[in-house]
Amino acid sequence: YTVATLGTEVYDQGGNFANPTFTAPVTGRYRFCGGVGVNQLGAGHTQGTLAVATSNRSRTLLQEKMSATATAGTDLAVCGCVQADMDASDTATLTITVFSSTLTVDMLSDVDKTFFSASLMH
């Protein structure tokens, strides 16, 4: 997998994000939403997984079969949300894995396609 490096930070209300890692300020349940845009998909890329990797475990946001949605050289944006329990000082990152080809894909830095958010649920 690859940790998504994000573009321009829009806001960080508590100062808990240092690209690409969110650090939980307090123990609780958090909602994570994220998306990654990739380009230069090859015909051999058959599947991709978008996940949030936390200190405790990794949680899949989306598992996409690419063969039905993309052809060689095209772009694809995937996104989703997940909840996670975290202790204070636990960390979370957005990851993407693309399977079944030796070809490298590029992550898009466009904030409309590659983003990550975290919020404490009350």
Side-chain angles (χ1 to χ4, degrees), residues 6-120:
L6 305 162
T8 303
E9 186 175 307
V10 178
Y11 61 89
D12 185 354
Q13 186 170 332
N16 305 307
F17 183 76
N19 199 0
T21 304
F22 168 78
T23 303
V26 297
T27 298
R29 290 178 300 146
Y30 288 81
R31 179 173 176 85
F32 295 99
C33 294
V36 173
V38 294
N39 65 7
Q40 299 305 316
L41 289 170
H45 291 117
T46 60
Q47 185 170 308
T49 301
L50 182 65
V52 171
T54 67
S55 299
N56 298 329
R57 64 187 148 293
S58 185
R59 291 162 176 84
T60 300
L61 295 162
L62 179 73
Q63 192 160 349
E64 178 77 22
K65 290 188 177 188
M66 295 180 174
S67 59
T69 58
T71 57
T74 62
D75 297 351
L76 180 67
V78 293
C79 61
C81 294
V82 69
Q83 296 177 16
D85 60 307
M86 297 184 74
D87 297 320
S89 299
D90 280 355
T91 60
T93 55
L94 184 65
T95 66
I96 185 150
T97 307
V98 178
F99 298 98
S100 301
S101 180
T102 58
L103 298 174
T104 301
V105 298
D106 295 322
M107 277 188 280
L108 302 172
S109 60
D110 181 338
V111 295
D112 293 334
K113 294 186 176 88
T114 301
F115 63 92
F116 186 49
S117 69
S119 57
L120 180 63

